[in-house]
Amino acid sequence: MALLGYARVSTQGQDLEPQLRALRAAGCTAIFEEKASGTSRARPELTRLLDRLRRGDTLVVVRIDRLARSLAHLLQVIERIREAGAHFRSLGDPIDTAGPSGMLVLQIMGAIAQFERALVVERTKAGLAAARARGRVGGNPGLRARDPAVLGKLATARERTRLADLLPGADEWLGTVRRLRPATAWEEVTRAVNAALPPERRRFTRDRLVRAVRLFVQEGLAEPALLEGAARRPRRDPRARRAMELAASFLRGRPKATLAEVGAELARMGVQPRGGGPWAASSVKALLDRARGAGLLGAGHGLRRQRRTSPEARRPRGTSGA
């Protein structure tokens, strides 16, 4: 039965040391450190900690907001802790799920914290509206002026955030992409990736998957070949398909028909070869070969050329050429 600590700060510039001292003083045998926004659920260290929990262990944090910033996320994490047979304790709040009233207090504290954050958001919106009414416009001046340098920094920050969200679950989808690309179209790759993901994971759209792979390629985490265009499938000519089906149907009805007879039947039905004119025996044979490959003809349907006979062979027996 181990005490496992979790310490988190939102930015790289913040210091984890006060939380680490409190967790060590509480008797934590292992402490998992994380620098990530509380609104982001892409936290690899928290995931690693939850996977390590065993029956009887206790996950310890300094304050409840170090674990989650919304009641829904908090309850989701607590449910995983309970499924492992473990407990949760917050040193700065009267929360210990090992006791009978722990879950009740936990839900009340989480709801209050969420309510307080909603009030902060409302006050911020009201302040911005009042400033606009006085003619003041908030925000970054460079962003309002569409400064390329500012826009570039913003795009880079967004890519860093996207990469942080994608990295923890990359093993669940990148392998499928590597197996199928570039030979397979992105639509089929997206379906295969989503089918392999766990039910609780967010589904990919085609565009989101392409953007994720492009970001990984830019960061050197994936091969550029994954973004190469898939080979286009040859377009099927509906007239050629109809000719193939008619030829196969005729030969199924007359298995001993010759190539010339099949070609004559196609011409009678108004079907011409691609270049026009009469059907050559080689064109009919190629047509029927494709029909057999498509499963429209069985192996028993033979292909016979018109047998050529000499004038002597065509004469009745017992007659001469004189």
Side-chain angles (χ1 to χ4, degrees), residues 90-113:
S90 174
L91 301 178
D93 308 294
I95 299 174
D96 188 346
T97 59
S101 60
M103 282 301 297
L104 176 61
V105 175
L106 178 67
Q107 293 186 28
I108 294 173
M109 292 291 295
I112 293 174

Side-chain angles (χ1 to χ4, degrees), residues 35-47:
K35 293 189 177 182
S37 170
T39 59
S40 173
R41 299 192 183 185
R43 300 194 211 162
E45 288 302 309
L46 178 58
T47 301

